[in-house]
Amino acid sequence: MTLEEFLTARRDAGRALLVPYVTGGVAPGWTDVVRAYADAGADAVEIGLPFSDPMLDGVTIQEASDRAIAGGTTVTRILAELAALDVEVPLFAMTYSNLVFQKSAAAFCAALRASGLRGLIVPDSPLEEVGELAGAAAAEGLDLALMAAPSSSPERLREIAARSRGFVYAVTRMGTTGEDGGISAEAARLGRDLTALTDRPVLFGFGVSDPARAAELARHADGVVVASALMRRLLDGAGPRELGEYVASIRRALDRPLDREPDEQYAPLPRHRRRPDRQDPVGPLPRG
Amino acid sequence: MTLEEFLTARRDAGRALLVPYVTGGVAPGWTDVVRAYADAGADAVEIGLPFSDPMLDGVTIQEASDRAIAGGTTVTRILAELAALDVEVPLFAMTYSNLVFQKSAAAFCAALRASGLRGLIVPDSPLEEVGELAGAAAAEGLDLALMAAPSSSPERLREIAARSRGFVYAVTRMGTTGEDGGISAEAARLGRDLTALTDRPVLFGFGVSDPARAAELARHADGVVVASALMRRLLDGAGPRELGEYVASIRRALDRPLDREPDEQYAPLPRHRRRPDRQDPVGPLPRG
Amino acid sequence: MSEHALMSDPGTTGRFGDYGGRYVPESLIPACHEIEAAFRDAWADPGFRDRLTTLLTVYAGRPTPLTPARRLSRELGITLLLKREDLTHTGSHKINNVVGQALLAQRMGRRRLLAETGAGQHGVATATAAALLGLEATVFMGERDIERQELNVLRMNVLGAEVVPVTSGSRTLKDACNEAMRHWVASVGDSYYCVGSVMGPHPYPWMVREFQRVIGEEARAQCAAELPAAVPDYVVACIGGGSNAAGTFAGFVGTTARLVGVEAHGGAAATSGRSGVLHGFRSLVLQDDDGQVREAHSIAAGLDYPGIGPEHAHLRDDGRARYATVTDDEVVSALVRLARTEGILAALESSHALAWVIRAAESGGIAPGSTVLLTLSGRGDKDIASIRELL
Amino acid sequence: MSEHALMSDPGTTGRFGDYGGRYVPESLIPACHEIEAAFRDAWADPGFRDRLTTLLTVYAGRPTPLTPARRLSRELGITLLLKREDLTHTGSHKINNVVGQALLAQRMGRRRLLAETGAGQHGVATATAAALLGLEATVFMGERDIERQELNVLRMNVLGAEVVPVTSGSRTLKDACNEAMRHWVASVGDSYYCVGSVMGPHPYPWMVREFQRVIGEEARAQCAAELPAAVPDYVVACIGGGSNAAGTFAGFVGTTARLVGVEAHGGAAATSGRSGVLHGFRSLVLQDDDGQVREAHSIAAGLDYPGIGPEHAHLRDDGRARYATVTDDEVVSALVRLARTEGILAALESSHALAWVIRAAESGGIAPGSTVLLTLSGRGDKDIASIRELL
Ligand SMILES: Cc1ncc(COP(=O)(O)O)c(C=O)c1O
Ligand SMILES: Cc1ncc(COP(=O)(O)O)c(C=O)c1O
């Protein structure tokens, strides 16, 4: 089953999707964190392949990346450790273009595939640079997820929705990863726009810092990616058990029926939603 | 008797002239130094009226001037102290133009005269700037001595010799006052040139640091001015007695018949020399 | 793209051969498009060009002279001409680019300039242009560079700019770039990112080269007036990101002159780098076997950069320009030698170009009698404190 | 001399009205005559003029632009034009004079330049010109100024000049002048004393004004192109010894422009001095009742001088120019204000002129709508460390 099939099936089963993140190699035994996430109700796990210059990451993930690199981690080693890991949910990689293009996109994708990963996301390979990589990923059966941002134009959103595989990563805000900052109205709008454009799961990422925010966001799309909130705890000394518990608390929040009044403008999404036929011509979206 | 008459008479009596210097107000009781000089065989005493920016003075006289000014000395006070002083030999002032022109050259000369001084020397008033001052000095019966330097042209030497009063101050070297540095051949030549041009006494100054040098120099003119060597001792703590003794030692050296071979080119001057008639046309001097 | 003339418009993809592009997060893509469109529009607008030329002339001190280095030329047996960017306002070529981008930002209605800086020259230039046009300025600078270039930090403060110390990574220019990009993502609505060299996502490498082209065009005309052969045998410039070199080369790429870019030994992306993606563009990058970007090391803060502008990577592959490195020791002695033979205190960065010329002339790498145009990218006042210990 | 046109040749006596002259020891008189003769000869020699113009153009960066200070003008309700001497090589107008004198020294066969310096700008310029022409340089600098202007001391060292600390008196410019004169007496045969302002014995005040005249002549032509009235209402410059002001005024003395020289409050020889003789010339000098020269006090090392060039004393008596003072506080805020409105970091010295303009414009002393030419004599990089504490 592909990443996309897996996530779509769970979403269609009425479940709000939860994807926690861990930086590969951030500490010895980091794969136990992956397992703990899976056990705590994750629907997939995002594995960061650390890069020295993580342009889109805030201080927490920078620090995690630096720690992993300083500890001697390499992509090869991380992939080997993942190959030896057996968890029920799909894993996918998050990394930067420089690591992807080291030898070639094809070689990189083959290595991911060999280690059992199901997909990848590369924040600094936007639509215009993603062609070669998309081909290589498809050839290996990997889903290459694309990011959409509050600043993306309707035309770009349509293209992102069309070309993304696995899910669409909806960036909640104009900013880097990190915990600070609230959830903006533009995030909600972005979720609605994307879900209107594609049948693929749409996950929110950036600033999903606690169960309440996760639950609030999940009303406007299909689920959330949680990264900095977990990595901050990890860097502060939390082990797999505590991290698993935190993921479980988010899981519970996502599964709980909402007790607050639904937002007037952006009512919560029904799961099992019906998408517009992808062949249908789609007019320009109204923007706020 | 004017300064010039006094010095000429002594020179003509076969005596090498000795003029020691003291900075007015350099220490309480400084007038005792003047007296000690006179008692030790000085033929005149040069009194420095201290100026904040003594351009032609080396470190020793700068320090003496600074000390005098810092001690609250003023020209008025120095002149008052000199007026109360009674010594056998004539006194003359050495100072800079800024003090001379404070009110006017006439006022300044009148004040010198009133305090019993017989002349003055102003190193930064060369021929081209000395007109007004020369008139004022003459009006007060003061002798304004001019300086000649190794760099002076034959024409300038002639004019300096002609316009100087009291004596001609022959600067031994291109440099400031101070003890260091030997006596150059150009000093000897300057002395000979000047004594050939004028009947007035010609005194060497600058670098007359010890009895031997004084005696050596006096062979080429009519005598010496001794300043820094004395002021260095004064600043180092010597009192009027020691300073008087040092002047006496120079006096003895000047009076002793020379035991060295006379210089071939510049034989010692006979005292009672006959000068060329000042009205005679004088051809350009040969220069080395 | 190989059918394109070298150093021309890289089109909408911003490619120079294999290099360049726009490797930035989706969040920044609209801003990049907007800037590209605004620049194309402005660059075709005689009114904008006029305004820029006027400011470069009445404000920044252009044209800069071409100074024959007479005594040093005699010693080296060549004819060395110095293009004097050190005489511009704020003391380096960085002002050419910044005045252009600041005018563009103003035209786009932005109220704030963001910039990264290494030596501080680009930061000072940005603070300057911001003050001139009534914009705000926020400058990101590595902590290590803040220590090395304290004078420039103070200059930025006096000019009213906010200087943000960057404490991540090597705490030098590369990290300041990361931080500036992150900040840009967060403030793209009201801020304009004023990139300091021929790097970053398209259209920056091209746009900055165009704004620096004035160096090469002036020098070309001055050489024509000064040299019997009209064109020098060599055209030499130092390379940090590569903007002063790109601007200079742009004036000579169509001539017979040999183009030489000189990098710091410890930051030699063109000679020791591998293809990679950093700060939004693909180029030659100093990196380890695993693809982690290495820290550059240079006595010159402005050359402490592990990459090189994408167009330089292309010029290298193409063979039209060659790239060389010099050591810190060679650089310091070149600086002192120029100071003592010509009375010109060059920046440590610029002294790299000079160090190569000296070595090449003295080793016969440059034939005696050759003519050499060297872009003196900036003045060395900012470096005095750092070279004091080395004298 | 009152029948002479203002700012013309002061003849062989070097008198400007009551002021000027040649109050130096006899030892120096031949040197002064020789320099006067050499200067008269050189100044009448088109070959010398050409060589000077060429160096000022291809080396020192002339002509300097005239920059309209647009934002500050708007704030002040006037039209303020800045003559940008800060853009010259080494960063102040001092280079104009020094290139001229160094060429003269070379023509006279001297092998060494002596100079006094206050802010260090003249010292740096002298070290620069010496290196350019292959001469040696010895620079006298007060110990206090060495502390205040450390950057410039290092620049001189790198340029190969010997910097001699002066420990006498107030340990500032005045004492450096004394010491340079003393040293000159001792080395007049092979050394040329390169005086840094319109002071010293004849022919220096006149010669330095002539070498600085280029400022005023360029500015005059630039104003004619820029201003509807061709001539500004005010021409303003700061005064240390008075060379940038003299050079500027020389271009406008025959026009209707009002000439204003601005001194430091603590070094206001033109407004609080009495006639006196210092450093070889008669002029207005700050002195106590007994004729001892007072120490000047200014935040700007280059204005810490208790005298004023003799020609300025004459212009004051004549009424053709007026002289004003500003306080250190006004100066620092003028510096910061210019930096933040125009992106120009002026020297503390130059900021005196600006402080006066600001005060006069804000108090109505300069009528709204007036046009003001201000000579920005130098750049403020050297002052950054000293003003840091004041910000
Ligand atoms: C004086 C100077 N030259 C050169 C450089 C290098 O930049 P680039 O290679 O973009 O010209 C810098 C960068 O700060 C600089 O300050
Ligand atoms: C920048 C600057 N302006 C002005 C002056 C004052 O000199 P002047 O009055 O001779 O122009 C100095 C002296 O050092 C200076 O450095």
Side-chain angles (χ1 to χ4, degrees):
Chain A
M1 221 191 309
T2 65
L3 175 63
E4 181 163 326
E5 286 163 356
F6 188 94
L7 292 177
T8 307
R10 290 213 164 183
R11 190 264 325 268
D12 289 348
R15 181 173 165 103
L17 302 175
L18 171 57
V19 179
Y21 164 97
V22 66
T23 299
V26 66
W30 65 274
T31 49
D32 294 342
V33 174
V34 179
R35 213 183 316 265
Y37 288 168
D39 294 347
D43 299 298
V45 179
E46 180 178 354
I47 311 291
L49 304 181
F51 178 49
S52 52
D53 294 82
M55 184 205 290
L56 197 61
D57 285 305
V59 285
T60 305
I61 295 186
Q62 283 175 49
E63 192 182 331
S65 299
D66 287 349
R67 193 184 282 196
I69 294 168
T73 283
T74 62
V75 171
T76 316
R77 188 184 308 173
I78 291 168
L79 294 185
E81 292 182 90
L82 289 175
L85 182 72
D86 189 21
V87 286
E88 257 86 90
V89 296
L91 310 182
F92 63 92
M94 195 292 283
T95 195
Y96 285 85
S97 298
N98 197 51
L99 297 187
V100 173
F101 296 110
Q102 274 299 299
K103 290 196 185 69
S104 67
F108 184 79
C109 288
L112 292 196
R113 166 63 179 278
S115 66
L117 290 170
R118 304 288 181 83
L120 75 164
I121 186 155
V122 185
D124 63 345
S125 273
L127 281 178
E128 25 279 278
E129 305 296 349
V130 90
E132 180 196 351
L133 176 58
E140 294 291 342
L142 296 177
D143 283 342
L144 174 66
L146 300 182
M147 284 178 153
S151 61
S152 304
S153 66
E155 295 71 27
R156 286 188 74 85
L157 284 188
R158 247 196 310 276
E159 199 180 341
I160 289 163
R163 293 176 63 184
S164 193
R165 294 289 176 271
F167 63 97
V168 182
Y169 195 123
V171 170
T172 58
R173 64 177 178 215
M174 296 300 286
T176 56
T177 61
E179 296 176 75
D180 52 312
I183 304 289
S184 60
E186 58 183 5
R189 198 196 51 218
L190 179 63
R192 301 302 300 212
D193 288 352
L194 285 169
T195 52
L197 282 167
T198 181
D199 197 22
R200 295 198 176 88
V202 174
L203 303 186
F204 279 121
F206 289 29
V208 187
S209 54
D210 57 35
R213 283 224 185 112
E216 166 67 16
L217 274 169
R219 295 168 58 206
H220 307 294
D222 301 312
V224 294
V225 177
V226 184
S228 296
L230 290 161
M231 295 313 287
R232 168 73 7 241
R233 286 173 170 75
L234 186 149
L235 292 171
D236 287 349
R241 197 176 51 80
E242 291 100 315
L243 293 171
E245 280 166 12
Y246 195 68
V247 168
S249 72
I250 301 174
R251 179 75 268 166
R252 284 192 298 276
L254 289 175
D255 292 345
R256 196 163 31 226
L258 290 167
D259 43 348
R260 285 196 274 144
E261 274 303 289
D263 181 297
E264 288 290 304
Q265 197 182 352
Y266 298 111
L269 279 182
R271 308 291 164 204
H272 310 279
R273 58 199 141 102
R274 280 266 51 85
R275 306 291 166 180
D277 186 320
R278 259 179 253 149
Q279 309 318 323
D280 277 3
V282 191
L285 289 174
R287 307 284 316 213
Chain B
M1 222 190 313
T2 65
L3 175 63
E4 181 163 329
E5 286 163 354
F6 188 94
L7 293 176
T8 306
R10 290 213 164 184
R11 190 268 320 274
D12 289 349
R15 180 172 166 104
L17 301 176
L18 172 57
V19 179
Y21 164 96
V22 66
T23 300
V26 66
W30 65 275
T31 49
D32 295 341
V33 174
V34 180
R35 214 184 315 267
Y37 288 167
D39 293 347
D43 298 299
V45 178
E46 180 178 353
I47 310 292
L49 304 180
F51 178 50
S52 52
D53 293 81
M55 185 207 290
L56 197 62
D57 285 304
V59 285
T60 305
I61 295 187
Q62 284 174 50
E63 192 182 331
S65 300
D66 287 350
R67 193 183 283 196
I69 294 168
T73 283
T74 62
V75 171
T76 316
R77 188 183 310 172
I78 292 169
L79 295 185
E81 292 181 88
L82 290 173
L85 182 72
D86 190 19
V87 287
E88 257 86 89
V89 297
L91 310 181
F92 64 92
M94 195 292 283
T95 195
Y96 285 84
S97 299
N98 197 52
L99 297 188
V100 172
F101 296 111
Q102 275 299 302
K103 292 200 183 64
S104 68
F108 185 78
C109 290
L112 293 196
R113 165 67 178 277
S115 67
L117 290 170
R118 305 288 183 82
L120 75 164
I121 185 156
V122 185
D124 63 346
S125 273
L127 280 179
E128 25 278 278
E129 305 297 350
V130 90
E132 180 196 351
L133 175 59
E140 295 291 343
L142 296 176
D143 283 342
L144 174 68
L146 299 182
M147 283 178 155
S151 60
S152 304
S153 66
E155 294 71 28
R156 287 188 74 84
L157 284 187
R158 248 196 311 276
E159 198 179 341
I160 289 164
R163 291 176 64 183
S164 194
R165 295 291 177 269
F167 63 97
V168 182
Y169 194 122
V171 170
T172 58
R173 63 176 180 216
M174 297 299 287
T176 57
T177 59
E179 295 177 75
D180 54 312
I183 303 286
S184 61
E186 59 183 7
R189 198 198 52 219
L190 179 63
R192 301 300 302 211
D193 288 353
L194 285 169
T195 52
L197 283 166
T198 180
D199 196 21
R200 296 198 174 85
V202 173
L203 302 185
F204 280 121
F206 289 29
V208 188
S209 54
D210 57 34
R213 285 226 183 108
E216 167 67 15
L217 274 169
R219 294 167 60 206
H220 307 294
D222 300 312
V224 294
V225 176
V226 184
S228 295
L230 290 162
M231 296 314 288
R232 168 72 8 238
R233 285 172 172 76
L234 185 151
L235 292 171
D236 287 349
R241 199 176 49 80
E242 291 100 314
L243 294 172
E245 281 165 12
Y246 195 68
V247 168
S249 73
I250 301 174
R251 178 77 266 163
R252 284 192 299 276
L254 288 175
D255 291 345
R256 193 160 39 224
L258 290 167
D259 44 348
R260 283 195 275 146
E261 275 300 289
D263 181 298
E264 288 289 304
Q265 198 184 351
Y266 299 111
L269 280 181
R271 309 290 166 204
H272 309 282
R273 60 202 143 103
R274 280 266 50 84
R275 306 292 168 176
D277 186 319
R278 259 180 254 148
Q279 308 318 320
D280 276 2
V282 191
L285 289 172
R287 308 284 312 216
Chain C
M1 297 278 145
S2 55
E3 72 278 14
H4 269 159
L6 286 171
M7 304 200 92
S8 58
D9 181 338
T12 53
T13 61
R15 287 275 159 183
F16 305 95
D18 289 341
Y19 308 102
R22 191 175 267 160
Y23 293 86
V24 289
E26 172 64 19
S27 326
L28 291 177
I29 290 288
C32 291
H33 282 150
E34 195 190 349
I35 292 167
E36 182 182 347
F39 174 65
R40 287 189 183 278
D41 183 63
W43 212 224
D45 171 3
F48 180 87
R49 294 270 197 146
D50 270 7
R51 209 163 160 222
L52 176 58
T53 302
T54 300
L55 281 186
L56 291 180
T57 308
V58 305
Y59 180 72
R62 300 212 73 87
T64 59
L66 189 71
T67 302
R70 293 192 204 286
R71 302 206 316 129
L72 186 55
S73 289
R74 215 172 300 131
E75 287 181 16
L76 297 176
I78 61 173
T79 297
L80 176 60
L81 301 172
L82 307 173
K83 179 61 178 161
R84 299 290 303 283
E85 297 302 300
D86 61 311
L87 291 179
T88 55
H89 181 52
T90 72
S92 86
H93 69 292
K94 299 283 178 189
I95 195 75
N96 304 326
N97 167 41
V98 159
V99 169
Q101 288 198 53
L103 282 177
L104 189 67
Q106 199 182 43
R107 186 181 172 102
M108 293 172 69
R110 297 294 190 275
R111 62 165 194 79
R112 186 168 67 143
L113 303 180
L114 302 179
E116 83 294 338
T117 197
Q121 290 303 107
H122 175 59
V124 168
T126 303
T128 295
L132 175 68
L133 300 181
L135 305 170
E136 290 170 34
T138 302
V139 179
F140 296 86
M141 189 167 184
E143 253 189 354
R144 241 184 95 213
D145 291 337
I146 286 181
E147 283 157 26
R148 291 196 284 183
Q149 307 279 345
E150 196 201 357
L151 181 62
N152 275 342
V153 176
L154 293 168
R155 288 165 80 194
M156 289 184 262
N157 290 337
V158 174
L159 289 160
E162 180 193 13
V163 180
V164 181
V166 175
T167 57
S168 56
S170 57
R171 296 174 296 124
T172 62
L173 180 54
K174 138 178 125 58
D175 311 282
C177 290
N178 290 329
E179 213 48 48
M181 289 257 184
R182 290 179 189 125
H183 203 87
W184 187 28
V185 176
S187 62
V188 74
D190 69 346
S191 299
Y192 175 95
Y193 181 21
C194 183
V195 175
S197 190
V198 284
M199 52 192 218
H202 181 56
Y204 285 103
W206 166 55
M207 175 168 68
V208 175
R209 180 246 282 163
E210 289 302 289
F211 283 140
Q212 292 293 5
R213 173 186 284 281
V214 64
I215 304 175
E217 285 179 354
E218 282 178 13
R220 174 81 195 278
Q222 289 165 322
C223 284
E226 183 78 11
L227 296 175
V231 168
D233 299 319
Y234 292 85
V235 170
V236 188
C238 70
I239 307 244
S243 67
N244 86 85
T248 306
F249 292 178
F252 293 91
V253 69
T255 74
T256 55
R258 281 177 252 198
L259 311 179
V260 183
V262 186
E263 291 186 291
H265 184 72
T271 45
S272 325
R274 286 190 293 114
S275 179
V277 176
L278 183 67
H279 299 144
F281 61 105
R282 183 191 274 273
S283 186
L284 297 168
V285 176
L286 282 184
Q287 47 189 320
D288 66 17
D289 291 343
D290 301 312
Q292 305 300 351
V293 177
R294 292 212 324 248
E295 293 179 15
H297 288 291
S298 164
I299 191 177
L303 305 189
D304 248 359
Y305 186 70
I308 184 175
E311 191 161 29
H312 286 291
H314 181 50
L315 289 170
R316 186 203 70 162
D317 284 4
D318 182 89
R320 179 62 191 94
R322 57 187 272 224
Y323 295 83
T325 67
V326 291
T327 65
D328 285 356
D329 285 352
E330 289 177 302
V331 167
V332 172
S333 63
L335 185 152
V336 173
R337 187 156 172 190
L338 186 69
R340 296 193 175 171
T341 51
E342 304 295 337
I344 298 173
L345 212 62
L348 280 169
E349 289 79 8
S350 327
S351 300
H352 281 68
L354 186 66
W356 181 82
V357 171
I358 289 174
R359 189 214 290 156
E362 289 183 341
S363 67
I366 293 179
S370 297
T371 51
V372 178
L373 171 84
L374 185 152
T375 295
L376 206 85
S377 54
R379 59 171 137 92
D381 303 46
K382 68 182 180 57
D383 298 314
I384 284 291
S386 358
I387 70 165
R388 169 171 36 180
E389 289 114 59
L390 301 164
L391 286 180
Chain D
M1 295 277 145
S2 54
E3 74 277 16
H4 269 156
L6 285 170
M7 304 200 92
S8 58
D9 181 340
T12 54
T13 60
R15 287 275 160 184
F16 305 95
D18 289 341
Y19 308 102
R22 192 175 266 160
Y23 292 87
V24 290
E26 173 65 20
S27 326
L28 291 177
I29 290 289
C32 290
H33 282 149
E34 196 190 347
I35 292 166
E36 181 182 347
F39 174 65
R40 287 189 182 279
D41 183 63
W43 212 224
D45 171 3
F48 180 87
R49 293 270 198 145
D50 269 7
R51 205 154 167 231
L52 176 59
T53 302
T54 300
L55 281 185
L56 290 180
T57 307
V58 306
Y59 180 73
R62 302 212 71 88
T64 58
L66 189 71
T67 302
R70 292 193 206 284
R71 303 207 315 130
L72 186 54
S73 289
R74 215 171 305 132
E75 286 181 16
L76 297 176
I78 61 173
T79 297
L80 176 59
L81 301 172
L82 307 174
K83 179 62 177 161
R84 299 289 304 281
E85 296 303 299
D86 61 311
L87 291 179
T88 56
H89 182 51
T90 72
S92 86
H93 70 293
K94 298 282 178 188
I95 194 76
N96 305 325
N97 167 39
V98 160
V99 169
Q101 288 198 53
L103 281 176
L104 189 67
Q106 198 183 42
R107 185 180 171 104
M108 292 172 71
R110 297 295 192 275
R111 62 166 193 78
R112 186 168 67 141
L113 302 181
L114 301 179
E116 84 294 337
T117 196
Q121 290 302 108
H122 175 59
V124 168
T126 303
T128 294
L132 175 67
L133 300 181
L135 306 169
E136 291 169 33
T138 302
V139 179
F140 296 86
M141 189 167 182
E143 253 189 351
R144 241 185 95 213
D145 291 337
I146 286 182
E147 284 159 26
R148 289 196 286 184
Q149 306 280 343
E150 196 201 357
L151 181 62
N152 275 342
V153 176
L154 293 167
R155 287 167 81 194
M156 289 185 261
N157 289 337
V158 174
L159 289 160
E162 180 193 13
V163 180
V164 181
V166 175
T167 57
S168 56
S170 56
R171 298 174 295 124
T172 62
L173 180 54
K174 136 179 127 61
D175 311 282
C177 290
N178 290 329
E179 212 50 46
M181 288 256 181
R182 291 178 188 126
H183 202 87
W184 187 28
V185 176
S187 63
V188 75
D190 69 346
S191 298
Y192 175 95
Y193 181 21
C194 182
V195 175
S197 191
V198 285
M199 52 192 216
H202 182 57
Y204 285 104
W206 167 52
M207 174 168 70
V208 175
R209 180 247 282 163
E210 289 302 290
F211 284 139
Q212 294 291 6
R213 173 186 283 283
V214 65
I215 304 174
E217 284 177 354
E218 283 177 12
R220 174 81 194 278
Q222 289 165 322
C223 284
E226 183 79 11
L227 295 176
V231 168
D233 298 319
Y234 292 85
V235 170
V236 187
C238 70
I239 306 246
S243 67
N244 87 84
T248 306
F249 292 178
F252 293 92
V253 70
T255 74
T256 54
R258 281 175 251 198
L259 311 179
V260 183
V262 186
E263 292 186 291
H265 184 73
T271 43
S272 325
R274 286 191 292 114
S275 180
V277 176
L278 183 67
H279 299 144
F281 62 105
R282 183 192 274 274
S283 187
L284 297 169
V285 177
L286 283 183
Q287 48 190 320
D288 66 18
D289 290 343
D290 301 312
Q292 305 302 349
V293 177
R294 292 210 325 246
E295 294 178 15
H297 289 292
S298 164
I299 192 177
L303 304 190
D304 248 358
Y305 186 70
I308 184 176
E311 192 161 28
H312 287 293
H314 181 50
L315 289 169
R316 187 203 67 162
D317 285 5
D318 182 90
R320 179 64 190 91
R322 58 185 270 221
Y323 296 83
T325 67
V326 291
T327 65
D328 286 355
D329 285 351
E330 288 177 302
V331 168
V332 172
S333 62
L335 185 152
V336 173
R337 187 156 172 191
L338 186 69
R340 298 193 174 171
T341 51
E342 304 296 335
I344 298 174
L345 212 62
L348 281 170
E349 288 80 6
S350 326
S351 300
H352 281 69
L354 186 67
W356 181 82
V357 171
I358 289 174
R359 188 213 292 156
E362 289 183 341
S363 67
I366 293 179
S370 297
T371 51
V372 178
L373 170 84
L374 185 152
T375 295
L376 207 84
S377 55
R379 61 172 134 94
D381 303 47
K382 67 182 180 58
D383 298 315
I384 285 291
S386 358
I387 69 163
R388 170 172 32 182
E389 291 115 56
L390 301 164
L391 287 178

